Amino acid sequence: MSYNFKAVEKKWQDTWDKEGTFNASYDYSNEKKWYGLVEFPYPSGQGLHVGHPRPYTALDIVARKKRLEGYNVLFPMGFDAFGLPAENYAIKNHVHPKIITKQNVDHFREQLKSLGFSFDWSREVNTTDPDYYKWTQWIFIQLYKKGLAYKTTMPINFCTGCKVGLANEEVVNGVCERCGSEVVQKEKSQWMLRITKYAQRLIDDLKDIDFLEKIKTQQINWIGRSEGAEVKFKITDSDKELLVYTTRPDTLFGATYMVVAPEHSIIKELKSKITNIEEVEEYKRKASLKSDFERSELNKEKTGVEIKGIKAINPVNGKEIPIWISDYVLVSYGTGAIMSVPAHDTRDYEFAKKFGLDIIPVLEGGDISKEAFTEDGTHINSDFLNGLNKEDAIEKITNWLEEKKIGERKVNYKLRDWVFSRQRYWGEPIPMVYCEECGWTPIPEEELPLKLPEVENFEPGENGESPLAKQTDWINTTCPHCGKPAKRETDTMPQWAGSSWYYLRYMDPHNDKALASKEALEYWSPVDWYNGGMEHTTLHLLYSRFWHKFLYDIGVVPTKEPYQKRTSHGMILGSNGEKMSKSKGNVINPDDIVEEFGADTFRVYEMFMGPFDQVANWSMESVRGCFKFLDRVWNLQQFLVDGDTYTQETEKMMHSAIKKVSSDIEEMKYNTSVSTFMTMVNEFYKLKRINKAEFKTFLILLNPFAPHITEELFEVCGFDGPISSNKWPEYDEAKTISDEVTLPIQFNGKLKGTISIIKDESEDSVKEKVHKAIDSKLEGKTVVKEIYVKNRIYNIVVK
RNA sequence: GCGGAUGUGGCGGAAUUGGUAGACGCGCUGGUCUUAGGAACCAGUGCCAAUGGCGUGGGGGUUCAAGUCCCUUCAUCCGCACCA
């Protein structure tokens, strides 16, 4: 009797779809709320990847369990549908991205439904829907009004393939994260978001939320806070000063030269004094041709040119020191200029060695003839700092600098402002208008959404301009401020815009007065549990925390943080341990698995394949094992008998299983939950019987993992269904422990045998039993000591 | 280089958090049933010169007892990478 998963799964999916109430969440219910969130997919043309269902199944399991526990659950799904692939497809095939996006979304939705996820589809959102992006644009205008959105001309990362500007976060190993093309620097006027203003809060508030430690660490490292001082160096024969940032002001006495970034303004400012200006300009020119990647790739050999004709004056000892230009100093960090202390900084040391510059040690310890000494030590050659350690010296010199007004304390962050413009069509139009008289002005909020105009040709412009730049009808408008002719912004927002706040929209997805009502936000905030990929830690996750904090500041949302808990899943690789890709021919299509084995098998397998947070290789054999398991579950029917519990042993098994599965689900140890189910099934097969109450409990426990087969069995066995109207079973701790204990006996920690004892049996009685069982093996040995750990182990120390 | 993680049978992985290492699944071996089986069921399966010994990447240590704690070392994977 093999079970017909196709018919059964279709039947239950139709039921869930029709009812509409099964997965629905109720606003402002009196029940405790639980909001579980998984990252909404980009609906690509390839359809669902086997990687998507792993986190979806995991949180679906939690959501289903929470419902059975009586929570009012919000577990929504939507589509992050703006993005380059749809646009590139449009360029190639002359189909509007809107059309291809709709097709893809429909396909994705169908695939997701075929896996039996309990999403509340009545709350589906789509970032490309004007009713949705109206609010994305609205948030942008608020950011603009508060001075957090600004336009500036700056060198940006420009992808030569996508012909689009990229945020730092989107450049991976010098190439475009999305298409792999080379990224070059290009001067462009760009909209920027001042995420740096939130840097400190983005670090500080992590302490109040439950994110995996590695996620917190990664965000903190990305933000890259450092404490130090800014110090002014006078320049000879000039009223100009060179400002540097250093985390080691205590090493000022060892500063033997300065280095400025190629783009530093001092070169232009003191051009007339520089005697080798041609050489310096040539170095600048060469550096500007290199991408950031090339610059860092060449980091083995440092390059540079001395700027002749000017010198800097070390403020602590009045010494004149040379100024160099080198691309190992970055214009975008600190002040774009550094003081070099070759004795105590590895990079400076390398540079000084190469160009024969002075190396003066100011801390004791280490051997500067060999390498830079970067550890703590006692200061020497440092006048009033002599004898102090690093920490004390930093404190003393910083105070001194502040007193003398030649420097001050300063905190720096690696985090840069967010490049928010994309020169593409398929994104949210930036709702700004440029007027010759009034400058940039946001469009009036009542005109939102500013819809994308219909265009024929999606090719980007020659100069990397947005396709919108060709839409003269759309561009030409009037200034909302003075009414004179003005032009619209033709750049669009990056893909990260719509996903920065989508979790809020799910709370109240059809609201046309606000991004969500106050009541809905109050009731559902924050997201209780958000699971997503590690690759989004420094992109989406950081961006959305930033937007959320901003919305909190302007009184739109009630919590400081969007997500109370964040976990992460491991990637699914091909059976050969490599990333799935068409070229490697190791791609698994979820549809094929569902077709051959059914959704329940697919779900159970993805949970069983390994620890949820670690990478896992796909294994077709293991899929079959899970299929076989469900088949055995189905055939348990044949052993069904009336009654609550069969024996004390089965009772113990049931209570232990409830305990184990309940905690496993909360701890994301789904793989051991599945093995618990398998062990139980094996046991019932051995007994060739299963009591009704036991089967019922078993089915409820298994339901979140394999919802279709369990509902069907519930019905077939005449239990009071559906399972979704039942309660999650409870266990009795006392019944998870049996009265009989198998006690291991060891000699020197090595197992020699076991005996059976009664739980909590007296030590004397245990000892007697142990010796009766084991004395023959003690011949010729001397017993030194005997250790009994109650109900646990009996260890005899012998010689 | 910095940061994070992971090393356990032929394979994927368990291990009550210091107390019987290898649960569960795959694979393999044997059996039952069968015209047949890439089906089902039952039994076995860490390794070895097997009444014993050895075993959680390697080496050392703490302990009655170590996969688990400490020191050290190697390997692999993932982030970030001249951040002053």
Side-chain angles (χ1 to χ4, degrees):
Chain A
M1 179 169 49
S2 197
Y3 106 100
N4 183 348
F5 61 83
K6 266 185 202 159
V8 168
E9 292 183 352
K10 172 124 197 357
K11 170 185 162 186
W12 287 101
Q13 282 166 18
D14 287 350
T15 311
W16 297 331
D17 233 11
K18 230 181 289 151
E19 270 178 48
T21 51
F22 166 65
N23 299 324
S25 332
Y26 304 94
D27 286 329
Y28 332 127
S29 134
N30 289 326
E31 305 287 346
K32 289 171 288 181
K33 69 95 182 178
W34 184 82
Y35 183 178
L37 184 66
V38 287
E39 288 172 342
F40 60 166
Y42 172 76
S44 75
Q46 286 98 53
L48 209 63
H49 181 270
V50 285
H52 286 117
R54 197 181 193 196
Y56 295 172
T57 305
L59 258 72
D60 189 48
I61 289 168
V62 183
R64 284 173 181 272
K65 172 173 175 263
K66 293 282 180 193
R67 286 196 197 95
L68 291 168
E69 287 174 332
Y71 284 84
N72 182 27
V73 167
L74 175 51
F75 185 50
M77 180 44 73
F79 299 96
D80 189 14
F82 274 129
L84 279 173
E87 186 163 344
N88 289 337
Y89 185 90
I91 292 169
K92 223 191 227 166
N93 302 289
H94 303 285
V95 187
H96 197 289
K98 199 159 62 182
I99 294 166
I100 188 69
T101 297
K102 180 165 186 321
Q103 280 174 16
N104 290 348
V105 164
D106 289 345
H107 182 217
F108 259 72
R109 193 188 301 107
E110 203 167 303
Q111 287 185 298
L112 289 167
K113 284 191 177 178
S114 81
L115 287 166
F117 297 128
S118 64
F119 295 128
D120 179 355
W121 287 106
S122 71
R123 291 173 183 260
E124 177 184 333
V125 302
N126 182 324
T127 54
T128 65
D129 180 351
D131 291 337
Y132 180 91
Y133 70 65
K134 170 181 179 176
W135 298 105
T136 313
Q137 292 172 329
W138 181 84
I139 295 170
F140 180 86
I141 291 175
Q142 310 314 307
L143 285 160
Y144 178 80
K145 285 183 179 167
K146 296 288 176 188
L148 292 168
Y150 62 98
K151 202 166 199 195
T152 188
T153 300
M154 61 169 302
I156 58 150
N157 304 302
F158 184 79
C159 170
T160 51
C162 306
K163 295 206 168 66
V164 67
L166 302 175
N168 286 327
E169 288 84 341
E170 294 170 302
V171 183
V172 176
N173 290 335
V175 301
C176 172
E177 178 199 47
R178 203 161 282 284
C179 75
S181 305
E182 195 198 352
V183 174
V184 296
Q185 298 294 300
K186 195 166 189 150
E187 287 274 325
K188 266 224 154 257
S189 178
Q190 299 283 320
W191 284 102
M192 306 285 291
L193 295 187
R194 236 182 266 284
I195 189 172
T196 49
K197 209 181 163 195
Y198 282 74
Q200 192 60 49
R201 286 167 63 191
L202 287 168
I203 295 173
D204 291 345
D205 293 347
L206 283 173
K207 71 177 186 310
D208 301 322
I209 46 181
D210 179 19
F211 283 20
L212 285 183
E213 218 38 57
K214 62 177 173 181
I215 295 174
K216 289 189 183 182
T217 310
Q218 209 171 301
Q219 289 207 341
I220 289 167
N221 289 346
W222 185 263
I223 296 168
R225 182 183 202 273
S226 77
E227 283 176 30
E230 279 187 353
V231 186
K232 287 182 264 188
F233 282 64
K234 286 208 162 63
I235 291 174
T236 50
D237 304 325
S238 155
D239 54 358
K240 291 266 184 278
E241 284 170 331
L242 198 51
L243 188 66
V244 303
Y245 173 71
T246 177
T247 55
R248 296 294 304 274
D250 60 310
T251 61
L252 254 169
F253 288 91
T256 53
Y257 64 100
M258 318 277 292
V259 186
V260 300
E263 299 85 356
H264 200 280
S265 60
I266 195 93
I267 294 154
K268 206 186 253 172
E269 286 164 15
L270 295 177
K271 203 171 176 174
S272 58
K273 292 188 196 295
I274 300 172
T275 54
N276 63 337
I277 188 73
E278 300 80 18
E279 201 187 351
V280 171
E281 293 285 2
E282 176 61 15
Y283 185 82
K284 266 187 77 164
R285 204 182 59 79
K286 275 189 184 157
S288 72
L289 292 176
K290 292 187 210 165
S291 66
D292 263 357
F293 181 58
E294 282 176 293
R295 280 198 193 184
S296 54
E297 213 182 18
L298 296 168
N299 76 26
K300 282 206 170 69
E301 258 314 89
K302 295 215 180 337
T303 59
V305 170
E306 185 179 350
I307 303 175
K308 291 181 178 146
I310 55 170
K311 298 258 182 201
I313 300 163
N314 188 333
V316 291
N317 54 18
K319 272 191 196 162
E320 287 188 8
I321 56 176
I323 304 172
W324 284 67
I325 178 171
S326 172
D327 64 7
Y328 86 88
V329 174
L330 308 174
V331 74
S332 48
Y333 184 76
T335 63
I338 61 162
M339 64 175 208
S340 262
V341 186
H344 305 291
D345 181 283
T346 321
R347 295 152 312 190
D348 297 346
Y349 185 85
E350 210 181 299
F351 193 82
K353 275 283 178 194
K354 180 167 177 188
F355 294 105
L357 297 155
D358 290 346
I359 301 173
I360 299 172
V362 290
L363 279 103
E364 241 172 11
D367 177 2
I368 59 144
S369 65
K370 290 207 187 83
E371 57 183 3
F373 175 67
T374 54
E375 283 150 57
D376 198 358
T378 306
H379 280 73
I380 50 168
N381 303 329
S382 298
D383 197 345
F384 59 91
L385 298 179
N386 285 340
L388 297 177
N389 68 12
K390 177 172 148 187
E391 191 191 340
D392 294 341
I394 288 177
E395 187 57 28
K396 188 160 183 182
I397 185 79
T398 309
N399 291 335
W400 185 86
L401 290 167
E402 287 190 332
E403 240 167 69
K404 303 265 177 192
K405 301 211 181 330
I406 46 181
E408 57 183 13
R409 271 165 227 280
K410 174 85 183 172
V411 171
N412 257 321
Y413 302 91
K414 289 193 220 171
L415 185 71
R416 308 292 151 75
D417 276 344
W418 172 7
V419 181
F420 200 68
S421 298
R422 295 295 124 87
Q423 294 72 46
R424 300 302 295 218
Y425 173 78
W426 195 229
E428 301 88 346
I430 294 175
M432 300 294 292
V433 166
Y434 185 75
C435 165
E436 294 289 343
E437 307 263 322
C438 314
W440 285 105
T441 313
I443 67 169
E445 285 173 24
E446 53 278 12
E447 284 178 24
L448 294 176
L450 172 61
K451 290 190 188 171
L452 274 169
E454 295 295 327
V455 308
E456 302 269 296
N457 182 1
F458 304 98
E459 293 276 357
E462 254 324 287
N463 208 18
E465 273 184 330
S466 165
L468 291 179
K470 290 173 246 159
Q471 302 301 304
T472 41
D473 288 354
W474 184 79
I475 291 172
N476 291 316
T477 183
T478 50
C479 172
H481 205 242
C482 68
K484 287 188 182 149
K487 288 188 189 303
R488 291 191 193 282
E489 173 58 75
T490 60
D491 285 356
T492 52
M493 299 186 195
Q495 188 169 17
W496 312 110
S499 59
S500 289
W501 70 281
Y502 74 115
Y503 58 94
L504 297 172
R505 190 62 176 172
Y506 286 137
M507 298 178 190
D508 190 10
H510 310 297
N511 195 321
D512 59 358
K513 304 278 184 303
L515 54 82
S517 74
K518 280 253 179 279
E519 293 78 9
L521 289 163
E522 281 290 343
Y523 179 72
W524 289 111
S525 294
V527 172
D528 292 279
W529 189 341
Y530 189 21
N531 185 86
M534 271 318 276
E535 70 275 21
H536 291 131
T537 304
T538 53
L539 294 157
H540 159 66
L541 193 63
L542 197 63
Y543 290 154
S544 63
R545 288 184 61 223
F546 160 48
W547 275 35
H548 191 92
K549 287 186 176 302
F550 168 70
L551 292 172
Y552 174 77
D553 288 348
I554 62 169
V556 173
V557 298
T559 58
K560 280 188 193 170
E561 286 284 336
Y563 319 115
Q564 183 49 40
K565 174 175 180 171
R566 169 80 178 188
T567 55
S568 211
H569 53 269
M571 220 197 317
I572 294 180
L573 304 175
S575 53
N576 54 357
E578 290 181 87
K579 220 170 167 172
M580 285 190 192
S581 77
K582 269 181 275 179
S583 59
K584 287 188 186 118
N586 59 354
V587 176
I588 301 287
N589 183 345
D591 290 346
D592 296 342
I593 307 297
V594 171
E595 172 68 23
E596 195 178 347
F597 302 100
D600 284 335
T601 297
F602 187 86
R603 294 167 60 109
V604 168
Y605 170 64
E606 288 222 345
M607 293 301 98
F608 185 61
M609 68 193 305
F612 180 70
D613 59 344
Q614 277 164 42
V615 295
N617 297 359
W618 190 268
S619 157
M620 224 50 216
E621 289 68 38
S622 216
V623 174
R624 288 197 189 90
C626 293
F627 181 77
K628 190 172 141 186
F629 158 68
L630 289 179
D631 215 36
R632 279 161 71 80
V633 170
W634 179 256
N635 289 323
L636 275 174
Q637 290 176 73
Q638 64 184 307
F639 303 132
L640 198 61
V641 283
D642 281 325
D644 291 342
T645 45
Y646 179 38
T647 60
Q648 205 197 21
E649 276 308 297
T650 57
E651 183 181 51
K652 183 197 164 194
M653 177 172 78
M654 293 311 297
H655 283 266
S656 308
I658 297 167
K659 182 182 178 180
K660 175 82 178 139
V661 172
S662 301
S663 62
D664 274 356
I665 290 175
E666 298 296 329
E667 293 160 28
M668 312 200 96
K669 290 159 80 175
Y670 308 103
N671 52 335
T672 52
S673 281
V674 174
S675 59
T676 302
F677 294 133
M678 289 173 168
T679 311
M680 291 168 88
V681 170
N682 291 346
E683 193 55 35
F684 290 127
Y685 268 76
K686 255 180 217 145
L687 296 170
K688 290 196 180 5
R689 72 176 277 158
I690 181 166
N691 288 34
K692 278 193 173 171
E694 291 166 346
F695 198 30
K696 201 173 156 183
T697 301
F698 175 81
L699 290 174
I700 298 174
L701 286 178
L702 181 60
N703 174 258
F705 293 77
H708 311 85
I709 191 176
T710 47
E711 285 288 8
E712 182 68 12
L713 276 168
F714 226 68
E715 194 177 275
V716 166
C717 296
F719 297 150
D720 207 5
I723 290 180
S724 48
S725 65
N726 279 260
K727 284 245 164 310
W728 186 253
E730 286 173 8
Y731 67 93
D732 179 350
E733 181 71 45
K735 289 182 176 161
T736 62
I737 305 154
S738 66
D739 294 340
E740 238 180 302
V741 177
T742 306
L743 188 77
I745 304 165
Q746 300 180 329
F747 290 178
N748 300 335
K750 293 215 159 56
L751 186 71
K752 292 292 158 183
T754 59
I755 55 164
S756 186
I757 60 161
I758 311 294
K759 188 169 151 264
D760 298 334
E761 194 170 327
S762 77
E763 188 165 346
D764 288 343
S765 160
V766 169
K767 188 171 181 177
E768 198 180 309
K769 280 187 183 173
V770 165
H771 282 277
K772 205 165 152 192
I774 212 93
D775 269 354
S776 59
K777 293 187 179 175
L778 278 172
E779 272 174 49
K781 294 188 167 90
T782 317
V783 175
V784 179
K785 200 172 162 189
E786 296 182 33
I787 295 143
Y788 176 53
V789 182
K790 198 174 168 188
N791 299 329
R792 266 279 154 83
I793 203 147
Y794 199 101
N795 192 15
I796 304 173
V797 185
V798 294
K799 257 189 194 164

